[in-house]
Amino acid sequence: MKLHELTIHEARKLLDKKEITSKELTQGIFDRINDVEEKVGAFITVSQELAMEQAEKADKEIVAGNVTALTGIPLGIKDLICTKGIRTTCASKILEAFVPQYDATVMKKLNAAGAITAGKLNMDEFAMGSSNENSSFKPVHNPWNLDYIPGGSSGGSAASVAADMCPASLGSDTGGSIRQPASHCGVVGIKPTYGRVSRYGLVAFASSLDQIGPLTKDVTDSAIMMNAISGHDAKDSTSVPRDVPDYTKALENAGLKGIKIGIPKEYKSKEGLDPAVSETVGNAVKTIENLGAETVEISLPHTDYAVAAYYVIAPAEASSNLARFDGVKYGFRDKTQSDLLKMYKNTRSKGFGPEVQRRIILGTYALSAGYYDAYYRKASQVRSLIMSDFRNAFESCDVILSPVAPTPAFKIGEKSDDPLTMYLSDIFTLSANLAGIPGMSLPCGFSPDGLPIGLQIMGNHFDEGTMLKVAYNFEQATDFHMKRATL
Amino acid sequence: MKITKEEVLKVAGLARLHMDEGAIDKFAGQIGNILEYVDTLEQVDAKDVQPATHAIPLSNAFREDLPGEHMDRDNALSNAPEKEDGSFVVPKIIG
């Protein structure tokens, strides 16, 4: 048995039976990181010393019987979630030396549950990108084939789990940034309902779309992680005061009789949909039908406008959120200038990478006098229509199935000069962010080149439970989640 | 072109970004393409549709106005690129 290959629930059993200690488990993770990190590039910061202290403490709690589902379990954290005392860079030069003075609410929760922070994970700068090529430090490589992208923006979060460098991680999803890399790396990734998980301490990209969520090796672990991070937080006024169910209760392998699966007709003939993805996802739908679910055709009539609406709203919010990086309160400052305005401009131009600057300009333009109505207001109206599309769809189904990404992972460098093509590949994921509904990616097969393909399950607001139930039944009926990348 | 070089330069100024000639050219082309694509929104009839601002309908989240935890000054300044006497230092603003 290799300790780094364990899931959270497998490690839990061994820890509780005292067959292993958290120190051994955590050391096993760092040994694995030592072996393969150079090839994958998933970590920006490895926090081994602190992690070993946390593990020692966890072992004492285990002996004392003070155990949660996560006591003594090492986790990787996307590098835009503030970790007190551990550098948090957003994969940007502008925050290269930023050490948060406080913990994000999700970190407070994980720390209180006895989880261990193994390190901070690589990503597209400020979560802007779908390939992880926009990290200011280094690209992440897909563990299934190192020439390929892992997806993004939570590429390090997905690749670290797929490469067994941590049993689970946290990512963030603004337009697909958890689900798409999960799909490309063959792991389970959940974007919760907007407001389910506190965003306090998550460095903001687009505040009305961002959500933190888990990436794990199987569905059981994703339910365990959802239990740990969900819930209302007075420090995030958009978090929703609503009870959190025990998501592990949804993991009943009792078939799917009575469940209605919606298949959006607009998704079927989407231009650019790879035949391998279409076939693999089609087979997954058949498997779910065989488990007793009934499929119904649904319509999401404004699908064709989702990408356009998103690429107005997200950059507009980003341009406003990123105004705080001005070289005064934290982060990099260009010290060559004695004039305030020039200091701002040089700091930001040297500190932000090209994709971030592109989106700031796009967003500022969309919000500027004379263009606001044509762009931001119109996009927000279309967002309302997309939300009502989903509201109508969920009147006739419990969950919606679709591909996550139109193609399997592509080669590093293949698309990075063409921002629009990259944006268009978010077509199946970003509607869930616009509508605020939960969505997840679940391994459902492989391309002819051996790259993982994910199935997307979307649920109604706050109905992660049904989503997890469908995912768990599918997982128990298949063995895609057992396959591991060889490195 | 959908967005001129002059417009890119103006918007970059509003966004406090310094752009050299090469970057302006590149951005004008790329952002122009994106805006052309965004123009498909014109096809949607949304005249009477209320714009969405959030994904979940929420009213204001109020709390009691009570003293709580706060970050002390030294800690708040710990990431400042330049500080002096418990304050952030910026280049001279008033000439």
Side-chain angles (χ1 to χ4, degrees):
Chain A
M1 175 197 60
K2 291 175 182 158
L3 293 178
H4 57 261
E5 289 179 359
L6 297 173
T7 62
I8 295 174
H9 59 94
E10 288 165 351
R12 173 86 276 127
K13 277 189 196 138
L14 297 175
L15 287 166
D16 290 351
K17 282 195 278 181
K18 317 280 192 301
E19 288 180 23
I20 59 169
T21 64
S22 173
K23 272 180 92 170
E24 288 163 356
L25 177 68
T26 307
Q27 187 57 50
I29 287 300
F30 287 113
D31 291 344
R32 177 67 174 173
I33 292 172
N34 263 333
D35 285 346
V36 301
E37 166 58 12
E38 206 178 319
K39 293 184 204 165
V40 181
F43 282 83
I44 289 176
T45 304
V46 175
S47 46
Q48 184 161 3
E49 202 177 314
L50 184 71
M52 294 314 292
E53 283 170 25
Q54 288 178 315
E56 194 168 324
K57 207 173 139 224
D59 281 328
K60 284 184 189 147
E61 297 290 347
I62 293 169
V63 170
N66 296 326
V67 175
T68 78
L70 291 175
T71 307
I73 304 286
L75 301 172
I77 308 296
K78 188 177 183 180
D79 208 18
L80 80 174
I81 295 171
C82 284
T83 43
K84 189 176 178 179
I86 306 174
R87 190 170 74 122
T88 299
T89 69
C90 295
S92 181
K93 282 187 198 148
I94 213 161
L95 286 177
E96 193 164 3
F98 176 65
V99 179
Q101 300 98 322
Y102 66 98
D103 270 321
T105 296
V106 288
M107 293 315 299
K108 276 201 169 154
K109 283 173 177 271
L110 292 178
N111 290 337
I116 289 156
T117 303
K120 302 300 293 288
L121 298 165
N122 204 352
M123 53 185 279
D124 285 302
E125 185 180 3
F126 284 103
M128 296 178 190
S130 313
S131 70
N132 230 290
E133 294 164 292
N134 296 337
S135 167
S136 298
F137 304 126
K138 57 189 176 185
V140 180
H141 298 261
N142 192 315
W144 292 87
N145 186 329
L146 297 169
D147 294 335
Y148 285 76
I149 58 123
S153 68
S154 310
S157 302
S160 60
V161 174
D164 293 321
M165 289 192 278
C166 51
S169 64
L170 287 186
S172 67
D173 191 314
T174 305
S177 280
I178 289 173
R179 290 160 287 157
Q180 186 256 23
S183 172
H184 286 342
C185 290
V187 299
V188 181
I190 296 189
K191 180 204 94 74
T193 308
Y194 185 81
R196 176 85 293 182
V197 177
S198 169
R199 293 183 296 110
Y200 179 75
L202 169 72
V203 179
F205 161 13
S207 308
S208 81
L209 304 162
D210 298 340
Q211 268 293 283
I212 295 171
L215 294 96
T216 59
K217 292 182 181 182
D218 66 14
V219 177
T220 303
D221 280 4
S222 67
I224 291 169
M225 290 291 287
M226 283 298 296
N227 279 353
I229 62 173
S230 299
H232 176 250
D233 177 16
K235 286 180 170 167
D236 172 4
S237 61
T238 64
S239 80
V240 176
R242 196 176 161 131
D243 287 343
V244 180
D246 177 357
Y247 290 112
T248 61
K249 294 253 165 68
L251 310 176
E252 260 184 65
N253 190 19
L256 295 173
K257 213 167 162 37
I259 298 281
K260 280 192 178 157
I261 306 287
I263 309 289
K265 67 175 183 198
E266 289 81 4
Y267 287 13
K268 278 183 188 160
S269 53
K270 249 334 324 76
E271 209 181 307
L273 180 60
D274 185 280
V277 172
S278 177
E279 193 189 327
T280 308
V281 170
N283 289 338
V285 172
K286 277 183 209 137
T287 305
I288 288 171
E289 281 176 335
N290 290 338
L291 289 164
E294 180 194 339
T295 49
V296 290
E297 187 176 83
I298 56 158
S299 177
L300 301 168
H302 296 90
T303 297
D304 280 346
Y305 307 104
V307 175
Y310 178 89
Y311 278 97
V312 172
I313 292 167
E317 292 186 19
S319 71
S320 170
N321 274 325
L322 270 59
R324 73 191 64 180
F325 300 103
D326 59 1
V328 173
K329 300 175 290 297
Y330 31 66
F332 165 76
R333 171 189 291 192
D334 177 67
K335 291 187 177 163
T336 63
Q337 304 295 327
S338 56
D339 167 88
L340 183 69
L341 191 59
K342 283 184 182 157
M343 185 280 279
Y344 287 156
K345 286 184 168 183
N346 276 298
T347 294
R348 290 165 60 78
S349 295
K350 289 180 185 174
F352 292 136
E355 179 63 23
V356 174
Q357 295 194 39
R358 189 155 43 234
R359 295 205 199 186
I360 289 174
I361 291 187
L362 182 59
T364 307
Y365 180 77
L367 291 174
S368 64
Y371 296 106
Y372 179 89
D373 281 350
Y375 291 115
Y376 188 72
R377 189 182 153 80
K378 186 64 188 268
S380 302
Q381 287 174 311
V382 172
R383 182 177 185 182
S384 284
L385 294 171
I386 290 167
M387 290 162 81
S388 67
D389 283 356
F390 279 99
R391 229 180 352 259
N392 294 337
F394 281 117
E395 283 184 5
S396 58
C397 66
D398 300 302
V399 293
I400 296 171
L401 297 187
S402 79
V404 177
T407 65
F410 49 87
K411 278 196 172 150
I412 293 173
E414 199 177 300
K415 284 192 197 171
S416 48
D417 261 354
D418 183 3
L420 184 60
T421 312
M422 197 83 96
Y423 297 174
L424 292 172
S425 69
D426 297 343
I427 175 70
F428 297 121
T429 47
L430 48 74
S431 293
N433 301 79
L434 291 169
I437 59 171
M440 71 187 288
S441 175
L442 185 67
C444 75
F446 293 88
S447 73
D449 298 329
L451 295 163
I453 293 171
L455 168 71
Q456 178 168 236
I457 309 175
M458 290 183 278
N460 208 344
H461 288 137
F462 296 100
D463 195 15
E464 283 86 355
T466 307
M467 201 171 80
L468 284 163
K469 179 179 166 177
V470 173
Y472 185 71
N473 278 270
F474 177 81
E475 186 183 80
Q476 295 305 304
T478 56
D479 64 354
F480 304 114
H481 64 293
M482 317 282 276
K483 303 262 197 304
R484 287 278 180 274
T486 45
L487 275 158
Chain B
M1 200 166 330
K2 190 71 202 163
I3 182 167
T4 62
K5 288 202 275 183
E6 290 69 32
E7 282 176 308
V8 171
L9 196 62
K10 185 185 156 218
V11 173
L14 292 172
R16 304 290 184 254
L17 290 167
H18 170 78
M19 296 260 135
D20 57 34
E21 198 62 31
I24 294 169
D25 263 349
K26 198 171 174 187
F27 277 12
Q30 289 172 335
I31 292 171
N33 285 342
I34 297 164
L35 289 172
E36 262 172 43
Y37 177 76
V38 164
D39 279 346
T40 55
L41 293 177
E42 285 171 11
Q43 299 163 10
V44 186
D45 179 9
K47 242 190 346 280
D48 302 321
V49 177
Q50 196 64 26
T53 47
H54 270 290
I56 301 286
L58 276 174
S59 48
N60 284 337
F62 292 114
R63 61 169 171 76
E64 291 300 306
D65 186 16
L66 297 167
E69 287 171 49
H70 70 284
M71 198 179 280
D72 69 57
R73 181 183 286 239
D74 285 345
N75 198 17
L77 285 166
S78 65
N79 278 294
E82 215 177 324
K83 58 192 164 188
E84 200 179 300
D85 298 335
S87 302
F88 295 105
V89 175
V90 293
K92 198 169 161 187
I93 298 169
I94 302 163

